[in-house]
Amino acid sequence: MSEQRVDLDERFRAEISALTPQPSRPVEQPAETGRLTGPQCLELFESQATSRHLDLAARRLGSAKRGYYSIGSSGHEGNAAVAAALRPTDPALLHYRSGAFFVHRARQVPGLDPIRDVLLGVVAAAADPISGGRHKVFGSKPAAVIPQTSTIASHLPRAVGLAFAIERAARLGLACEWPSDSVVLCSFGDASANHSTAAGAINAAIHTAHQGVSLPLLFVCEDNGIGISVPTPPDWIEQAYGIRVGLQYFDADGCDLLDAALTAAEAADWVREHRKPAFLHLRTVRLMGHAGSDVESAYRRPTDITADLLRDPVTATARFLVAKGVATPAEVLDRYDDIGARVTAMAELVWREPKLNSATAVVAPLAPLHPDLVQADVLRRKSLEADNTGAPYSTEAVAASGDPVTLAQAINQTLASLLTRDADVLVFGEDVGRKGGVYGVTKGLQRQFGTRRVFDTLLDEQSVLGTALGAGLAGFVPIPEIQYLAYVHNAADQLRGEAATLSYFSHGRYQNPMVVRIAGYAYQKGFGGHFHNDNSIAALRDIPSLVVASPARADDAAAMLRTCVSAARVDGRVCVYLEPIALYHTRDLHHPGDNAWLATTSDTDHIAIGRARVYGDGNDLTIVTFANGVPMSLRAAQRLSDQGIRARVLDLRWLAPLPLDDLLHHARATGRVLIADETRHSGGVSESLCAALIDAGFDGRITRVTSRDSFIPLGPAADTVLLHESHIESAAAELLANR
């Protein structure tokens, strides 16, 4: 690693020192045919050289055990030209090798110091202005750079969503922090271009634009020809994306400043004018290996490594400056050394900066909690802002009819009320518009509120969630629908790696509020099989800060949906709202025709996150359950009462965070706890409940009944693996047998 670093630096010095000075050129005269003047070329070189020195400093800090991140941008410095082609207000979602882009963008914003900001991230300093010492990312609120994780290509769906939402906000008259004529920039590597997430996002962009919907997005593939150790065929990116109908394609040599600058400007201008997606193939090289610990000589031929060194873009730009008379070799070296000295001095300062030193500090951005403000937003009657497009928004929410309704009707009414009250709410997903949802939950909403606010998406869960991620950044409170719980696993990283981490990696400076509606669980009659009856939610419950709501009754469904929307708006929360399919249209509880599972709803109902609901006050047994388990447990409790056993039923309502205070209170009230969990025995909710009771020192008796560790089969066979109310009744009797 050290030899590679020294070799790169020494090669630059040796080559530039050997150059012959050329006659100087008037300052404002173009350095070459095109739109670059001498000062502009020098500014780009400044950003390229700064990025290079930051890479070298990161390696030195790592070697000295003072730094913790060394995936560099060396060889990719041509992306500074892309930054120059855009406005500093254009939102950018950057590849982890887009260092020169970040430097050049930050240098365009008064008051920013990209040298200090990047190095603070390298040393994991708490003063890092974007992540607060949690991870080294390229991000800046003032520079409109949205920080990204290292998950390959996971940011592309968000970029598509943001490009869509900026235009949609302008058409709806919604306030948005991004100018309405913005171009969204999304950069990624050649290896990332092969990822299904990238392919899906680019397809979604083309699909959207094909329907006449504006989508001003510039994809930039920084192609260095290798993904860690796996080569990318030289013609692959062009073959894969150069002939896509509906995707304007541009190609540039990222090691040639003039070509990169002029082509990037052409691409950016095209997107800004046409409001359609384009693809810029920026050919680069990778210098100094994949990362600090990578020894690329173990898998690359020396001739290939040398060939990349000969295309070093920083050296190429320096040669260009000398050849065109913009600067002498000595002036170039002086500028290069001055940048290096500033980077070295700053590195010496920042490594001493304090680090995060407590778990409280680390998790602070994960879950900002303002329950009083959330409640106030739930109860607010007036719209947040007036619409200026002439759309018929009322300033008063739609009042509930007062008639008892089913769970599906309650959700439908509440969505209508929210759409009426607030212009920032969007409802979308597969089949939610014209059809009104597979189960009719969104029926009539598109007709009432129009296709700009209630709309169908293409069949791709990553794109559905990506649209929500972008819409949240643009000022909306998106309510996307995932058609079935089993399908969310296709796109889980959009929740885990993108939605839940943005606030964390930006220290709360960026948020992506959303409420993801998901039809889930089992017990559908006459329509089944695993993919429509999934009962696995473990992958959701362990995502830090993610709220998981799971209403069972109509009144709870309405109030909890309002709470989730307000928590998203006020605190930027990411909420998953699990809707039990089998209870959508359920009317009866104990007997046919009793209508005991219907309930009335109110626009003024509010249920705080993490608060349970109790049915009854029995002192013999507490049955803890949720979703489909609630009516099953209530029926079992009634039969138990015929045997002289008085049980209370605790509906958790919130599966993350769990209502631990209510759980412990009602557990201690009876001293006996039966957990009726319709999810799987392993990894299900009951495991966490048992652990929570034990951790809290509960010394009563605990038992649980669950569904089996199985996928759910079609037809009557499903009953053999799912929780049944007879299991609840039997377990209760056994638990109380020796009281």
Side-chain angles (χ1 to χ4, degrees), residues 101-121:
F101 181 108
F102 178 78
V103 169
H104 198 75
R105 168 65 68 86
R107 292 179 61 231
Q108 295 174 291
V109 180
L112 293 187
D113 181 354
I115 294 176
R116 183 175 186 272
D117 291 354
V118 170
L119 289 175
L120 284 169

Side-chain angles (χ1 to χ4, degrees), residues 372-439:
D372 293 342
L373 296 178
V374 170
Q375 181 176 5
D377 191 71
V378 169
L379 302 179
R380 174 175 47 81
R381 302 293 295 178
K382 295 294 184 180
S383 177
L384 285 172
E385 60 181 275
D387 176 62
N388 62 11
T389 64
Y393 291 130
S394 169
T395 58
E396 295 291 333
V398 172
S401 67
D403 297 328
V405 295
T406 63
L407 185 138
Q409 291 170 328
I411 295 172
N412 179 277
Q413 288 181 2
T414 304
L415 288 172
S417 176
L418 291 166
L419 284 160
T420 299
R421 190 186 71 169
D422 294 319
D424 60 356
V425 173
L426 296 177
V427 175
F428 54 89
E430 301 162 16
D431 300 306
V432 306
R434 188 176 303 175
K435 181 177 174 63
V438 173
Y439 297 95

Side-chain angles (χ1 to χ4, degrees), residues 163-165 167-168 171 208-209 212-216 274-277:
F164 164 82
E167 291 283 330
R168 186 55 50 97
R171 291 182 180 274
T208 302
V213 178
S214 296
L215 202 116
H274 292 88
R275 317 307 287 167
K276 293 181 179 180

Side-chain angles (χ1 to χ4, degrees), residues 189-250:
D190 51 289
S192 302
N194 296 311
H195 200 284
S196 63
T197 308
I202 294 170
N203 178 75
I206 299 170
H207 181 275
T208 302
H210 180 73
Q211 298 177 83
V213 178
S214 296
L215 202 116
L217 174 56
L218 178 58
F219 293 108
V220 178
C221 179
E222 300 185 19
D223 180 7
N224 61 30
I226 192 166
I228 303 184
S229 66
V230 180
T232 298
D235 60 348
W236 173 243
I237 296 301
E238 182 178 4
Q239 287 292 315
Y241 294 104
I243 55 175
R244 293 290 299 273
V245 175
L247 183 67
Q248 193 73 13
Y249 183 82
F250 299 87

Side-chain angles (χ1 to χ4, degrees), residues 381-623:
R381 302 293 295 178
K382 295 294 184 180
S383 177
L384 285 172
E385 60 181 275
D387 176 62
N388 62 11
T389 64
Y393 291 130
S394 169
T395 58
E396 295 291 333
V398 172
S401 67
D403 297 328
V405 295
T406 63
L407 185 138
Q409 291 170 328
I411 295 172
N412 179 277
Q413 288 181 2
T414 304
L415 288 172
S417 176
L418 291 166
L419 284 160
T420 299
R421 190 186 71 169
D422 294 319
D424 60 356
V425 173
L426 296 177
V427 175
F428 54 89
E430 301 162 16
D431 300 306
V432 306
R434 188 176 303 175
K435 181 177 174 63
V438 173
Y439 297 95
V441 178
T442 56
K443 184 177 181 180
L445 295 181
Q446 186 178 83
R447 183 172 60 254
Q448 183 177 356
F449 298 100
T451 57
R452 289 180 179 173
R453 300 190 64 207
V454 181
F455 52 90
D456 293 316
T457 65
L458 73 172
L459 199 157
D460 175 27
E461 286 74 22
Q462 290 188 126
S463 295
V464 173
L465 295 179
T467 300
L469 289 166
L473 284 172
F476 289 102
V477 179
I479 308 179
E481 177 187 298
I482 300 297
Q483 204 164 78
Y484 289 100
L485 180 58
Y487 300 167
V488 77
H489 303 297
N490 298 337
D493 188 59
Q494 293 299 301
L495 292 175
R496 178 183 299 275
E498 289 292 323
T501 64
L502 181 61
S503 181
Y504 182 77
F505 288 129
S506 69
H507 199 49
R509 289 170 177 82
Y510 285 106
Q511 295 177 328
N512 37 220
M514 68 175 71
V515 181
V516 186
R517 294 181 45 248
I518 306 177
Y521 303 120
Y523 303 103
Q524 293 189 72
K525 302 298 182 183
F527 184 70
H530 163 67
F531 293 102
H532 303 98
N533 285 271
D534 190 20
N535 61 355
S536 174
I537 59 174
L540 298 172
R541 290 193 60 253
D542 79 337
I543 299 176
S545 81
L546 188 75
V547 173
V548 180
S550 188
R553 282 175 57 99
D555 48 356
D556 285 346
M560 291 169 70
L561 181 54
R562 291 181 178 280
T563 297
C564 284
V565 168
S566 291
R569 180 181 292 117
V570 172
D571 285 335
R573 299 301 294 265
V574 179
C575 304
V576 169
Y577 185 84
L578 292 174
E579 303 169 5
I581 298 172
L583 298 181
Y584 268 150
H585 306 296
T586 297
R587 305 176 66 88
D588 305 325
L589 177 59
H590 296 292
H591 309 290
D594 67 10
N595 288 335
W597 206 241
L598 301 178
T600 59
T601 67
S602 169
D603 292 340
T604 60
D605 285 345
H606 163 258
I607 297 173
I609 293 174
R611 293 307 308 268
R613 174 176 185 167
V614 66
Y615 295 84
D617 59 358
N619 56 16
D620 293 330
L621 174 66
T622 299
I623 303 175

